[in-house]
Amino acid sequence: MPVLLLGLVALTIVLILIVVGRTGLPWRPGGRAVSIVALLVLPAVVTWGGLSHHLDEARSTEFCLSCHEMEPYGRSLRVSEPTKLAAAHYQNRRIPREEACYTCHTSYTLFGDFQAKISGVRHVIVHFANAGDAAEPLELYAPYENRDCLRCHDGARSYLESAGHQGNLHELVSGAVSCLDCHGPAHGLGDVATGDLWDPDASSPRGAAR
Amino acid sequence: MTAPMPTRELATRQRRVRLAAGILIVGMLVQAQSFRAPGLSYFLTFALGGATLAVAGIACAVYALFRPVKPPAPTAEPPPVPASNEEVGPT
């Protein structure tokens, strides 16, 4: 929990109670400044800080998986199938586990973060609009862009010298050939059903996933 | 030295401040509750509860601190009653 924000909340509440407790304080010399800080400045600071905190938290894997529709996708990160992109990236720490979903599903372009947030709002609307309806297979709003793979893999030796990529490098950059044509589907939902999931806590001598 | 504020005006202003303070305190508590963990429900608690109440409370606080209190509307006074018959005039 954000300790600083909670401290500001406590300070704000205390100051507000002081302003309310002393009758006429806002209209006494010096009291106006205290009242403005307590009733205007601090609540605005706390609200802005809270918004920033929640936007930051919205990038976390835990946030994405808080919706029930994402449960199978969260489990697919731990399937014991090395050919599945999501599992291979997550288990081998090729992406930060704390922001696994956001790392791959956000474009690196100038407005990539903003577009991801707008997509998130769309997810929320769909989540509540479809509440109670039979679950439909989830699909991306648009085909997955190769550039979101290449921002990490472009220039890597394993990518450049891979036999399967020889003769296709230009097509991969232009998007004429999708990475997922050979490496997809990224999430092994079929393997989730078998129940063979990797437990990072069981494997680590420290007993806690980092 | 400024003149003391009339009792009625002070009571009105204090009432406005208490309303703003009440809304703000509830908004701050709701926001604090929303910081518990990442998740859609906590985010919506912040956005639809805490932030909304905070904005409403700030608006009420601006109104309470800067909006003057209207003086009471003047009531129609009855015509003055003459103190004695001499003021009415000779008949």
Side-chain angles (χ1 to χ4, degrees), chain A residues 18 26 34 77 95 127 165 178 185 197 202:
Chain A
I18 289 174
V34 174
L77 298 176
I95 54 174
H127 170 81
H165 296 160
S178 172
L197 302 178

Side-chain angles (χ1 to χ4, degrees), chain A residues 20 24 27 47 51 54 57 66, chain B residues 13-14 21 31 34 38 40 46 54:
Chain A
V20 170
W27 301 281
T47 303
L51 179 63
H54 276 290
E57 290 284 320
S66 67
Chain B
R13 287 179 179 270
Q14 193 68 17
Q31 286 193 30
S34 77
L40 180 61
F46 171 82

Side-chain angles (χ1 to χ4, degrees), chain A residues 57-144:
Chain A
E57 290 284 320
R59 302 208 309 245
S60 68
T61 304
E62 185 178 353
F63 180 91
C64 295
L65 300 184
S66 67
C67 287
H68 70 280
E69 296 93 335
M70 289 292 109
E71 184 182 355
Y73 293 89
R75 291 163 63 87
S76 75
L77 298 176
R78 297 188 291 118
V79 294
S80 293
E81 180 52 60
T83 62
K84 298 303 179 187
L85 290 182
H89 282 74
Y90 179 85
Q91 293 169 24
N92 294 297
R93 299 189 70 86
R94 293 170 187 163
I95 54 174
R97 287 183 183 160
E98 298 78 21
E99 296 184 359
C101 313
Y102 197 80
T103 302
C104 293
H105 287 279
T106 300
S107 175
Y108 75 98
T109 55
L110 180 63
F111 297 106
D113 285 350
F114 177 75
Q115 289 172 342
K117 292 291 191 290
I118 296 298
S119 292
V121 174
R122 191 172 170 184
H123 299 338
V124 172
I125 294 172
V126 171
H127 170 81
F128 286 107
N130 291 344
D133 292 343
E136 297 177 359
L138 298 179
E139 296 179 354
L140 294 175
Y141 297 137
Y144 197 84

